Amino acid sequence: MKRRVAAVLALAAAPLLLGACGTAVDKPAPPSNTATQADVKNVAEITAGSTFNDTDVMFLQMLIDNLEQGQEMARTAAKRATRPQVAELAKAVQVTQADEIKLMKSWLAEWDRPATLDQRVSLHADHGGMPSTGDKEIASLTTVKKAQFETAFLNLFLAHQHNAVEFAQLELDKGGNELARSFAERVKQSRTDQVQQMLKLLAG
């Protein structure tokens, strides 16, 4: 069971690797264990256990909201991006984050907690973080001029993924559930990697 959980968490939060020169996208490496494909298909079957605290719940709720916004941005980028590496990054984000959302919603259901926030949470005031991405900013990606789209998307998505890093760090600092903390560590690493990849794309 531990092997199966590790495989799912590794798949769900796998970094999206760009080539060193910023001109190609490599597929994520497969998990380094013997879990079968059937093991990682049923993400919602992975149980988190009954031990959790308010931070675990808030982390999952905030990250689900963050990822659902990210999915919207990634769908737009997959259609509007000019460079193949930006479009491929967006497509990979859609696949990875869909599994993450499924996993987190299953854990909240297991704890009998809602998957949605009463209101969007920003860490800006309480934790010195960046404000949450606004719906108007996301909608603007559909109307910005084609020549300006990639710069607008990468700048917005870079800040958005940085928010996910902040959520993950909050979980690592105060969370109580072992699997949620392990998941947060993988999210922190994958989003940090993506931020670096997008900075390279912005400079390219």
Side-chain angles (χ1 to χ4, degrees), residues 141-200:
L141 293 177
T142 64
T143 57
V144 66
K145 293 181 179 179
K146 186 79 170 179
Q148 301 170 345
F149 173 77
E150 287 188 0
T151 298
F153 165 71
L154 290 170
N155 276 312
L156 185 61
F157 201 60
L158 190 153
H160 189 75
Q161 296 300 68
H162 185 72
N163 271 332
V165 172
E166 292 177 333
F167 298 160
Q169 187 59 56
L170 178 64
E171 169 65 16
L172 290 170
D173 290 342
K174 298 181 179 180
N177 181 270
E178 182 181 353
L179 276 184
R181 286 171 53 82
S182 179
F183 178 67
E185 183 60 51
R186 288 169 170 81
V187 168
K188 179 181 177 181
Q189 183 59 56
S190 69
R191 271 47 172 193
T192 299
D193 289 345
Q194 288 173 27
V195 165
Q196 294 304 312
Q197 294 160 17
M198 286 186 282
L199 286 172
K200 289 179 181 178

Side-chain angles (χ1 to χ4, degrees), residues 113-157:
R113 295 295 186 272
T116 55
L117 295 164
D118 290 335
Q119 58 183 357
R120 184 156 292 144
V121 177
S122 171
L123 296 184
H124 183 70
D126 295 335
H127 303 283
M130 302 177 71
S132 299
T133 310
D135 292 333
K136 290 183 179 179
E137 294 174 292
I138 296 174
S140 72
L141 293 177
T142 64
T143 57
V144 66
K145 293 181 179 179
K146 186 79 170 179
Q148 301 170 345
F149 173 77
E150 287 188 0
T151 298
F153 165 71
L154 290 170
N155 276 312
L156 185 61
F157 201 60

Side-chain angles (χ1 to χ4, degrees), residues 5 14 27 36-37 57 62 67 74 83 88 99 101 110 133 136 145 148 163 190:
V5 171
K27 293 182 180 178
T36 65
Q37 185 67 20
V57 173
M62 289 192 300
L67 267 56
R83 286 180 289 175
E88 288 301 317
D99 280 341
I101 291 170
E110 182 183 350
T133 310
K136 290 183 179 179
K145 293 181 179 179
Q148 301 170 345
N163 271 332
S190 69

Side-chain angles (χ1 to χ4, degrees), residues 8-9 12-13 43-48 55-68 71 96-116 164 167-168 171 179-181 183-184 187 191:
V8 172
L9 292 181
V43 175
E45 293 180 3
I46 304 303
T47 58
T55 298
D56 297 316
V57 173
M58 183 173 67
F59 163 62
L60 297 181
Q61 291 174 335
M62 289 192 300
L63 193 57
I64 288 170
D65 183 65
N66 176 277
L67 267 56
E68 288 178 342
Q71 291 282 67
T96 302
Q97 293 189 171
D99 280 341
E100 291 176 339
I101 291 170
K102 187 182 297 184
L103 179 71
M104 291 187 290
K105 285 185 174 181
S106 72
W107 286 353
L108 287 169
E110 182 183 350
W111 298 339
D112 195 26
R113 295 295 186 272
T116 55
F167 298 160
E171 169 65 16
L179 276 184
R181 286 171 53 82
F183 178 67
V187 168
R191 271 47 172 193

Side-chain angles (χ1 to χ4, degrees), residues 3 6-8 10-11 14 28-35 40 186:
R3 178 185 300 163
V8 172
L11 176 68
S32 56
N33 51 51
T34 57
V40 296
R186 288 169 170 81

